[in-house]
């Protein structure tokens, strides 16, 4: 089965471009709100870095989710899209002074702090601004995730967060500083995680850390477990949404949330991944010695995931119903890594056929570059076509 596209409208557009199915986005947001809403104290933030297209951000803000930002630019984009500042959390291992200042001026919900030097700079800037910054500490839980090595972040060997060993020292340091208020713990173990057992392992670790803190009479208001819920890149039609029920139920069952606490989530890919496709036109079909190539007008500057992470995206010829043939789908860039897929079956391809690269709503458009002086790909939502 193929995805359903407004193909006549696509034909009039210059390619490559991203197409965002807003009906699927809205369905996904409803499912998130419904499943998270079944549990007291659950608050979901959208990880802006997955897709910061202004129209997409607007729809997500309107659904009531908060935002999770990793730069000053993302904070600005989130506010411009309508996310209230008091639903914005700000993470990142290297925050610049102007970015911290922006968060202070707007009065964001929390800074997710990753080191003592950062804590001290936030305190200093908050003092100058005559304010108190709410801070959570990102703790590295040393929990592995079954995902690609480049996107696992919760192991002791990764650069992220504060080690569990230092947790109390950092909290004590915060207590000495007048312009920061310690509010909670933050975690994020990686991305594209499909095994609920990985999240369960994080819950167990959070429980241990909470017990340890309570023995020292330290109580926290918020627990933030980050994002990382994966999508089904193999079956974007059959599994157009992650199993949000299983995800939130895992946390409800295994994380011992205290009655006064809120539990925060930062979902990126799970919100926007499946609603996006990169639409590209076939320039040439080239016969090689042992294979044939579909050469398309999109390249890794438009969608870098296959080249960067060896990521799989399902690819469809949406212009043809002719019998299947086997192709390597490649872009025009003069680098061997500019390959979207090798030896895949597509309905027979002709010059001019439109090709859909599926599940490209997350870490697609936002990671595009102008390499080779190519224009950045545009993103269109359903209503704009
Ligand atoms: C990237 C990131 C997320 C979102 O990750 P997804 O895998 O897209 O859900 C959430 N929180 C933090 C701190 C991140 O760095």
């Amino acid at each position: 089965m193929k995805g359903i596209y407004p193909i006549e409208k696509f034909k009039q557009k210059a390619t490559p471009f991203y197409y965002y199915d807003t009906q699927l986005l809205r369905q996904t947001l409803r499912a998130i709100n419904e499943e998270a809403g079944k549990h007291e104290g659950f608050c979901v933030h959208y990880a802006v870095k997955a897709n910061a297209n202004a129209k997409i951000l607007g729809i997500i803000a309107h659904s009531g989710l908060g935002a999770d930002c990793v730069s000053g630019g993302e904070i600005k984009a989130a506010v411009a899209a309508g996310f209230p500042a008091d639903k914005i959390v700000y993470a990142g291992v290297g925050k610049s002074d102007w970015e911290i200042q922006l968060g202070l001026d707007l009065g964001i919900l929390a800074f997710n702090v990753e080191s003592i030097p950062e804590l001290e700079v936030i305190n200093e800037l908050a003092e100058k601004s005559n304010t108190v910054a709410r801070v959570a500490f990102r703790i590295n839980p040393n929990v592995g995730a079954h995902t690609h090595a480049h996107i696992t972040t919760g192991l002791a060997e990764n650069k992220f967060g504060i080690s569990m060993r230092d947790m109390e020292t950092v909290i004590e340091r915060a207590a000495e500083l007048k312009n920061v208020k310690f509010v909670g713990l933050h975690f994020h173990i990686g991305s594209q995680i499909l095994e609920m057992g990985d999240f369960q392992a994080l819950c167990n670790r959070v429980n241990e850390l909470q017990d340890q803190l309570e023995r020292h009479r330290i109580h926290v208001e918020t627990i933030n477990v980050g994002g990382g819920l994966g999508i089904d890149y193999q079956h974007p039609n059959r599994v157009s949404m992650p199993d949000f029920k299983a995800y939130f139920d895992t946390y409800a069952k295994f994380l011992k949330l205290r009655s006064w606490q809120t539990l925060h989530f930062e979902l990126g890919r799970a919100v926007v991944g499946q609603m996006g496709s990169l639409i590209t036109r076939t320039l040439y079909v080239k016969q090689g010695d042992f294979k044939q190539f579909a050469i398309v007008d999109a390249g890794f500057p438009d969608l870098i995931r296959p080249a960067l992470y060896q990521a799989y995206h399902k690819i469809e010829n949406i212009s043809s119903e002719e019998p299947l043939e086997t192709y390597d789908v490649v872009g025009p860039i003069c680098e061997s890594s500019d390959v979207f897929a090798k030896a895949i079956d597509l309905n027979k391809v002709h010059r001019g056929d439109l090709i859909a690269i599926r599940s490209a709503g997350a870490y697609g458009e936002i990671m595009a570059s102008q390499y080779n002086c190519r224009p950045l790909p545009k993103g269109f939502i359903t209503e704009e076509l």
Side-chain angles (χ1 to χ4, degrees):
M1 192 184 115
K2 290 195 200 188
I4 296 159
Y5 294 104
I7 183 115
E8 288 308 315
K9 291 175 177 163
F10 281 3
K11 281 185 190 161
Q12 292 150 29
K13 294 247 169 253
T15 46
F17 63 88
Y18 279 90
Y19 168 65
Y20 299 126
D21 177 347
T22 49
Q23 194 186 337
L24 179 57
L25 174 61
R26 290 192 173 92
Q27 261 173 22
T28 306
L29 291 165
R30 272 199 299 277
I32 291 171
N33 279 322
E34 191 182 315
E35 293 303 332
K38 288 178 183 166
H39 307 288
E40 193 71 36
F42 281 28
C43 308
V44 183
H45 301 254
Y46 167 62
V48 172
K49 75 170 190 266
N51 186 326
N53 181 291
K55 288 156 278 189
I56 299 302
L57 284 184
I59 293 171
I60 298 171
H62 192 249
S63 79
L65 265 55
D68 160 45
C69 299
V70 292
S71 72
E74 284 190 1
I75 295 175
K76 287 184 187 173
V79 170
F83 287 95
D86 64 3
K87 284 189 181 177
I88 294 178
V89 292
Y90 174 26
V93 57
K95 300 178 184 76
S96 305
D97 291 18
W98 76 266
E99 295 178 305
I100 294 170
Q101 191 62 50
L102 180 67
L104 292 171
D105 293 346
L106 290 166
I108 61 171
L109 178 61
F111 291 86
N112 291 329
V113 171
E114 305 211 12
S115 66
I116 288 189
E118 180 193 334
L119 179 71
E120 291 172 344
V121 171
I122 293 175
N123 181 66
E124 207 179 292
L125 292 172
E127 188 181 354
K128 280 191 201 135
S129 297
N130 223 350
T131 184
V132 176
R134 295 164 53 89
V135 299
F137 291 117
R138 176 167 180 174
I139 307 298
N140 187 325
N142 200 19
V143 170
H146 298 87
T147 186
H148 191 280
H150 292 180
I151 50 178
T152 175
T153 54
L155 286 173
E157 67 200 50
N158 300 129
K159 71 177 173 181
F160 301 98
I162 292 161
S163 79
M164 291 181 284
R165 199 165 19 96
D166 298 334
M167 178 177 68
E168 273 136 350
T169 314
V170 182
I171 295 171
E172 281 160 17
R173 181 75 187 115
E176 295 163 6
L177 300 173
K178 291 203 169 55
N179 294 81
V180 291
K181 178 173 191 279
F182 166 66
V183 294
L185 301 178
H186 175 236
F187 306 87
H188 176 67
I189 57 173
S191 202
Q192 185 52 19
I193 298 168
L194 293 166
E195 291 176 38
M196 292 304 129
D198 291 341
F199 297 120
Q200 190 182 331
L202 174 61
C203 291
N204 294 337
R205 183 50 53 78
V206 174
N207 294 339
E208 284 168 26
L209 293 175
Q210 284 233 77
D211 291 345
Q212 185 184 327
L213 288 180
E214 286 179 357
R215 283 197 294 275
H216 291 83
R217 299 205 172 71
I218 298 170
H219 296 273
V220 305
E221 284 172 36
T222 65
I223 304 285
N224 181 332
V225 289
L229 178 62
I231 61 170
D232 190 335
Y233 282 96
Q234 265 75 28
H235 308 103
N237 298 317
R238 187 154 55 74
V239 191
S240 64
M241 247 187 253
D243 188 346
F244 292 113
K245 176 171 167 46
Y247 176 71
F248 290 117
D249 285 356
T250 297
Y251 281 100
K253 182 165 177 206
F254 296 105
L255 196 144
K256 293 186 196 135
L257 198 66
R258 313 310 195 233
S259 62
W260 62 87
Q261 291 179 327
T262 50
L263 182 61
H264 297 254
F265 299 86
E266 303 170 336
L267 295 176
R269 188 190 316 267
V271 182
V272 292
Q274 293 293 35
M275 59 118 199
S277 303
L278 177 61
I279 308 297
T280 175
R281 244 185 205 92
T282 309
L283 295 171
Y284 308 104
V285 178
K286 174 169 150 176
Q287 304 298 330
D289 285 344
F290 306 106
K291 44 169 76 172
Q292 56 183 352
F293 298 93
I295 302 172
V296 298
D297 64 2
F300 74 73
D302 306 296
L303 175 64
I304 201 172
R305 299 190 67 257
L308 189 61
Y309 309 120
Q310 292 79 51
Y312 171 83
H313 287 263
K314 186 177 170 71
I315 300 180
E316 295 168 346
N317 181 353
I318 57 175
S319 296
S320 166
E321 293 292 344
E322 288 176 54
L324 297 174
E325 294 191 13
T326 304
Y327 299 88
D328 282 13
V329 180
V330 302
I333 309 299
C334 184
E335 295 204 21
S336 312
S337 62
D338 192 28
V339 176
F340 289 117
K342 286 191 171 157
I344 58 157
D345 288 341
L346 295 174
N347 295 101
K348 186 176 173 62
V349 181
H350 308 271
R351 170 172 167 81
D353 281 0
L354 291 172
I355 305 289
I357 305 180
R358 304 293 305 273
S359 314
Y363 308 107
E365 184 185 356
I366 193 68
M367 290 180 94
S369 77
Q370 292 183 300
Y371 185 51
N372 283 194
C373 295
R374 293 163 58 88
L376 288 172
K378 290 200 169 74
F380 297 104
I381 64 171
T382 313
E383 291 84 343
E384 283 179 297
L385 289 173

